[in-house]
Amino acid sequence: MTHFDDLADEACVLYNRIAFRLLQGEKLRAAIKSEAADTRYEAVLWERPNVPPSGFVVDTLKWVLYILWNSETFEEVVQFAANLGGDSDTIGAIAGGLAGLDVGYNALPVRYRKIILLKEELASLSEELYRLRK
């Protein structure tokens, strides 16, 4: 929405398709593998991205998918992204969002849940979005 560009559109579609699959109960790696197939992002499932962790949308999504594919827990995802350098906050937010959908709120480490800002407002909005979906 903030970056009118075909590459940004492509990345948003891929992200949302993965998120949709997770919300339908599919496992994270299966969703990533299905959606990344035959795209510019498929190679990062098998090898570390040969791009900097920059704010460029293609580089960012390559790192997001690589981190998600190569991490076992939500905490690993967040720590990997945070320690990556570069545009780690954006990469961490995107990867953490998908990892969070995969594990669910109650499986997030308690120390992370305790510091969520606007927790009640976010919970209310998510419930409202869920009701609208039906």
Side-chain angles (χ1 to χ4, degrees):
M1 291 178 8
T2 61
H3 298 73
F4 184 74
D5 179 277
D6 289 340
L7 295 173
D9 292 348
E10 176 188 55
C12 287
V13 167
L14 186 66
Y15 175 93
N16 281 291
R17 290 178 61 96
I18 292 168
F20 179 78
R21 286 174 174 265
L22 295 173
L23 291 170
Q24 299 303 309
E26 192 168 335
K27 293 296 180 187
L28 180 62
R29 285 193 176 125
I32 290 171
K33 186 175 182 181
S34 294
E35 294 303 330
D38 300 320
T39 72
R40 72 181 77 240
Y41 301 100
E42 185 174 27
V44 301
L45 304 184
W46 320 118
E47 58 190 49
R48 189 175 178 93
N50 190 22
V51 296
S54 70
F56 177 54
V57 65
V58 173
D59 296 352
T60 294
L61 194 56
K62 284 181 177 183
W63 278 107
V64 165
L65 296 177
Y66 180 80
I67 290 168
L68 290 168
W69 190 262
N70 290 284
S71 298
E72 296 296 324
T73 66
F74 176 85
E75 198 163 19
E76 279 183 40
V77 168
V78 173
Q79 289 175 359
F80 193 147
N83 291 321
L84 194 56
D87 197 12
S88 61
D89 59 333
T90 301
I91 294 168
I94 296 168
L98 289 173
L101 283 175
D102 182 47
V103 301
Y105 177 79
N106 290 327
L108 299 177
V110 173
R111 67 181 186 278
Y112 289 0
R113 286 185 284 159
K114 284 184 178 180
I115 60 171
I116 295 175
L117 302 175
L118 306 169
K119 186 186 311 186
E120 289 77 23
E121 184 177 351
L122 291 171
S124 174
L125 288 170
S126 67
E127 289 296 325
E128 189 174 332
L129 284 170
Y130 180 77
R131 282 192 299 278
L132 289 172
R133 157 185 100 77
K134 290 186 172 196

